[in-house]
Amino acid sequence: RMLDLHMRNFPSIPTCLCKIGFSYNRTMETIATVYPRHRWKDCVMIASVECKLGSTANMHQRNVTQFAKQNQFAVRLLKRMQPKAYFIEQVLPGEKSLAAEAPFLQKVDFHD
């Protein structure tokens, strides 16, 4: 649903949905089907892991450990892809687990 919404609102931006956490190579192959590898170094990429796993609104099915693992996978994936810049959405519950992977991590509060 979110992917459809994004594609309607931003039709010129290549978008794909990948199940992350299993294989860096397979994930990169999937991304390459919508955006060629030779252009990755010139783009800004955004990764957003499944927010239900880390959401406080989902306390009974929340899994912060799995949420943190998905965020770590996303950071490692983006490091391998080497885009010009990247953003990871929904990091907060797993923020401490990313300190070693992304010492440059900076929290941005979009409510301000």
Side-chain angles (χ1 to χ4, degrees):
R1 292 178 278 181
M2 286 304 293
L3 185 64
D4 292 335
L5 178 64
H6 180 78
M7 291 170 75
R8 276 196 308 275
N9 289 333
F10 307 101
S12 65
I13 298 175
T15 308
C16 70
L17 179 64
C18 302
K19 187 161 183 123
I20 65 170
F22 300 103
S23 166
Y24 295 108
N25 289 333
R26 281 189 13 218
T27 305
M28 289 188 291
E29 287 170 12
T30 301
I31 294 167
T33 65
V34 295
Y35 202 73
R37 288 177 186 257
H38 71 274
R39 297 189 63 200
W40 292 355
K41 66 182 179 358
D42 299 320
C43 72
V44 174
M45 294 186 169
I46 300 171
S48 182
V49 303
E50 176 62 56
C51 62
K52 288 180 186 177
L53 292 172
S55 174
T56 55
N58 193 31
M59 290 303 280
H60 298 293
Q61 296 177 351
R62 191 175 187 202
N63 186 335
V64 176
T65 302
Q66 185 61 30
F67 183 78
K69 285 180 182 178
Q70 286 187 0
N71 272 310
Q72 287 173 334
F73 182 91
V75 169
R76 291 174 185 159
L77 174 71
L78 290 164
K79 283 178 160 180
R80 288 171 187 235
M81 294 175 72
Q82 299 180 328
K84 182 185 285 188
Y86 61 85
F87 298 88
I88 309 287
E89 295 180 329
Q90 311 293 348
V91 171
L92 198 56
E95 184 177 6
K96 290 179 183 170
S97 68
L98 287 178
E101 290 294 327
F104 49 83
L105 183 68
Q106 181 178 349
K107 184 169 70 173
V108 177
D109 185 352
F110 289 103
H111 294 106
D112 291 343

